Amino acid sequence: MPSEPAEVLDPRVARTRRDVVGATSTLLLEEGWDAVTHAEVARRAGYSKATVYAHWPTRLDLIRASIEQICDVADHPAATGDLRADLRAALADFADDLTRGHLDRLLGGVVERAHGNEVVRGLRTRLYDTGTSGMRAVLTAHVARRDVEPTLALLTGAVLVLVTFEGRPATTAVLDDLVDRALAATTPRGAG
C-alpha cells in the first residue's frame, strides 16, 4: 500500500513560520520570557500582529514554538569513546550555554511559570533533556544504569549553582574536579 504524501506547506506559510519563530527565539534568548509579545515579535519579524496572532494565538504558543526550535537545533560535542574526556566536553558545553545566558534565561522563564501549567512543565522537561542529552548519552554508554540520573543531577546541579546562582565561571579546573568526583561515585557499565 503506498504511503500518504507528506503535507505540502505553502512556501509563504513556511517563510512566515520561520521568520516569526526566529524572531521569537532571538527575543527570548536576548531579553527573556517577559519581552515576548505579539507586537514585538511582529515588529522584529516584519509581519502584522494579525498574522502573528493567526498562527500563534497566545504568547505561550510563540514561546513553545521558539523553545521547540531552539531544542531542535541544539548540538553537543561528538563522543569519542573516552568517558572522562567526553563527559568533560559535554559538561563544558552545558556550562557554556549557561554562561552565555541562553539556557539560564530559558530555564528561568519555564521554572518560574511551570507551577500549574502542563505546557510549561513540558517545556521545562524538553529544555533539561536537550541541555543534558550529551552528558546522558556519555553516561549511559559507560556507567551502570542506576548511576546515570544521579550523576547527571550532580554534574548539572553543580554547574547550575556555580554559574547561575554564584555567578562564577566554570573553569577547566572546576569542571575537571566535578567530573572526577562524579565518576568516582559511579560503577562502570556491566560491572557489579
Side-chain angles (χ1 to χ4, degrees):
M1 176 195 276
S3 63
E4 297 276 328
E7 179 183 334
V8 177
L9 191 61
D10 181 313
R12 293 169 299 172
V13 173
R15 184 177 56 247
T16 299
R17 287 184 181 171
R18 181 198 66 221
D19 294 347
V20 170
V21 172
T24 305
S25 296
T26 300
L27 187 59
L28 187 60
L29 290 170
E30 289 176 355
E31 300 182 36
W33 189 294
D34 290 334
V36 176
T37 65
H38 284 80
E40 184 59 19
V41 168
R43 185 187 72 73
R44 286 181 178 223
Y47 293 93
S48 71
K49 285 193 306 186
T51 298
V52 176
Y53 273 109
H55 295 279
W56 301 272
T58 69
R59 264 180 15 128
L60 185 55
D61 293 327
L62 284 167
I63 290 169
R64 178 177 35 203
S66 172
I67 289 175
E68 291 294 335
Q69 178 202 45
I70 290 165
C71 290
D72 287 346
V73 301
D75 63 344
H76 301 288
T80 65
D82 180 327
L83 170 59
R84 186 179 184 283
D86 290 346
L87 192 55
R88 166 63 175 70
L91 187 60
D93 181 57
F94 178 74
D96 185 56
D97 286 343
L98 288 171
T99 301
R100 288 182 292 134
H102 295 86
L103 189 55
D104 65 343
R105 273 193 207 98
L106 295 177
L107 287 173
V110 296
V111 166
E112 178 182 348
R113 292 162 178 86
H115 181 72
N117 188 314
E118 186 174 328
V119 171
V120 179
R121 282 194 303 272
L123 293 174
R124 178 184 61 196
T125 300
R126 177 80 196 274
L127 281 169
Y128 179 74
D129 289 347
T130 299
T132 60
S133 64
M135 284 181 280
R136 181 176 283 109
V138 169
L139 290 167
T140 300
H142 293 280
V143 303
R145 183 182 305 163
R146 71 177 182 273
D147 291 339
V148 171
E149 292 304 318
T151 305
L152 187 61
L154 288 169
L155 291 169
T156 58
V159 170
L160 188 64
V161 168
L162 179 76
V163 172
T164 303
F165 295 106
E166 295 178 2
R168 296 187 310 151
T171 64
T172 299
V174 167
L175 294 176
D176 287 343
D177 183 50
L178 289 172
V179 167
D180 290 342
R181 288 172 186 260
L183 291 179
T186 65
T187 302
R189 187 171 180 204

